[in-house]
Amino acid sequence: MVKANGDPHYLPLYEALASEVRWQIMKLIADKEMNVKEIAHALELSPSMITMHIRKLERAGLVGSRRVRLHGGTHKLCRLLEKNIEVKLPFVQKEEKGRERSISVGHYTAFEIYPTCGLGTLEKEIGVWDDPRFFSDPERVNAAILWFGRGYVEYKTPNVLLPDRTADCIEISMELASEAPGLRDYWPSDIRFLFNGVSLGMWTSPADFGRAARGKYTPKWWHRNVNQYGLLKTIRVDASGTYMDGEWMSDVVVEDINLQAPFWTLRFTVDENAVNVGGLTLYGAGFGNHDQDIVIRVYPS
């Protein structure tokens, strides 16, 4: 198969294709060899005219020929060399340019959580573990890790779209895992994600990770027998639906989530009536295996 593009080297190919007669010639010799006289007779054209067309097809690399002795004379037998042509037209990939907002783990604006639970900054624990009251501690804005057994935390951020603008899609990226007493290699938890009050879908975290190794960025002072790292997950909502890491999650489309609202809310929840009530751990910059906070990216239309 010939793969052509805009290089001048392929101009003879494009010229060769720009003729109905040459297309008829290629059709005749597609599955059998024919000499110039036979082709001329079939198309009711002069041999000299057919010779001119054959030369253009040969120059383009579409037709090959060989000379053979036949019936006391020398004949030029022509055959088609290629069955397919792929032409790559000039194309510039349009780069998606999104607007991004990063939200630290401790900057939640609402919560309702139940033990086991706790928070930690890059330097120390906040309050006492398994006491939900400390989720209201003023120092919680510095938290880089939080966890709870069930319930929710909710984040609020200003709309980053310019006035009167719409969006093609929105992405939400975060590192998260289950929350088990200690660490568990198998501890499934059904985590639901809501944006502006609309449920985007649910993902089942497989474990509370860390038995095999510490988190890559987890501070050295952090306890070895509790939450170490999670999985980096990306939710994308566009005109076709909602996906997590490219896999279908729900039928919610970008028009469903009211991106024109002055503020956006993002909620992580482990429902009391979920099949797997295995808690949630959220990792921010400085904890886990991915040095990032919760990131929201919107791609304007």
Side-chain angles (χ1 to χ4, degrees):
M1 179 173 66
V2 176
K3 293 186 177 182
N5 54 36
D7 192 296
H9 168 76
Y10 292 105
L11 290 179
L13 170 65
Y14 304 141
E15 182 183 356
L17 296 173
S19 165
E20 183 180 353
V21 171
R22 290 192 282 275
W23 277 97
Q24 291 175 336
I25 292 172
M26 289 189 289
K27 186 176 181 180
L28 285 172
I29 62 175
D31 58 357
K32 64 178 179 178
E33 291 183 318
M34 296 178 67
N35 63 35
V36 172
K37 288 185 178 181
E38 290 172 329
I39 298 171
H41 178 74
L43 298 181
E44 299 181 348
L45 295 171
S46 68
S48 61
M49 182 67 70
I50 295 300
T51 298
M52 181 271 291
H53 285 299
I54 290 294
R55 285 173 180 168
K56 289 190 175 183
L57 290 168
E58 288 176 327
R59 194 178 307 123
L62 297 175
V63 167
S65 62
R66 64 189 180 99
R67 294 186 179 276
V68 298
R69 294 287 298 174
L70 189 64
H71 305 306
T74 301
H75 296 262
K76 181 178 181 179
L77 295 180
C78 304
R79 67 188 185 281
L80 189 64
L81 296 178
E82 300 291 343
K83 297 296 185 182
N84 297 285
I85 299 172
E86 178 182 305
V87 179
K88 185 176 182 181
L89 299 176
F91 176 74
V92 177
Q93 180 68 41
K94 182 180 178 181
E95 182 180 357
E96 282 189 306
K97 293 184 178 180
R99 300 175 64 87
E100 183 174 298
R101 176 61 56 90
S102 184
I103 308 172
S104 67
V105 165
H107 275 238
Y108 49 85
T109 54
F111 71 92
E112 181 180 331
I113 57 95
Y114 298 87
T116 55
C117 59
L119 308 97
T121 71
L122 296 178
E123 295 81 25
K124 63 178 182 177
E125 302 161 3
I126 297 177
V128 178
W129 287 5
D130 296 338
D131 190 337
R133 292 179 300 171
F134 286 99
F135 273 67
S136 298
D137 192 304
E139 196 171 8
R140 55 95 174 167
V141 296
N142 298 318
I145 184 173
L146 67 79
W147 64 96
F148 55 87
R150 63 178 174 89
Y152 71 85
V153 287
E154 183 175 276
Y155 299 84
K156 193 172 187 177
T157 183
N159 185 337
V160 299
L161 282 172
L162 296 176
D164 301 322
R165 290 296 302 273
T166 58
D168 289 330
C169 73
I170 188 169
E171 291 181 346
I172 306 161
S173 175
M174 62 272 143
E175 182 177 356
L176 71 171
S178 307
E179 156 51 22
L183 296 168
R184 296 288 189 277
D185 290 334
Y186 178 74
W187 193 264
S189 184
D190 298 336
I191 301 169
R192 186 171 297 279
F193 307 88
L194 294 92
F195 194 90
N196 287 346
V198 178
S199 176
L200 302 180
M202 185 186 69
W203 169 69
T204 301
S205 170
D208 185 355
F209 304 97
R211 288 173 62 88
R214 290 181 62 88
K216 181 178 179 181
Y217 297 99
T218 299
K220 294 186 182 300
W221 71 267
W222 186 248
H223 312 282
R224 182 62 188 87
N225 63 338
V226 294
N227 330 59
Q228 294 296 318
Y229 60 88
L231 300 175
L232 185 66
K233 310 300 290 185
T234 299
I235 298 172
R236 180 182 175 97
V237 187
D238 60 26
S240 64
T242 299
Y243 305 84
M244 175 173 277
D245 299 336
E247 297 292 328
W248 181 89
M249 194 175 188
S250 76
D251 291 328
V252 174
V253 297
V254 69
E255 290 185 354
D256 296 333
I257 57 177
N258 190 22
L259 291 181
Q260 284 68 48
F263 292 92
W264 297 341
T265 60
L266 172 62
R267 177 178 290 197
F268 303 89
T269 179
V270 177
D271 299 322
E272 182 179 8
N273 60 354
V275 175
N276 300 291
V277 184
L280 168 66
T281 304
L282 274 172
Y283 296 87
F287 267 87
N289 281 352
H290 304 275
D291 194 21
Q292 70 161 65
D293 292 313
I294 301 165
V295 176
I296 297 177
R297 300 183 191 90
V298 61
Y299 297 91
S301 301

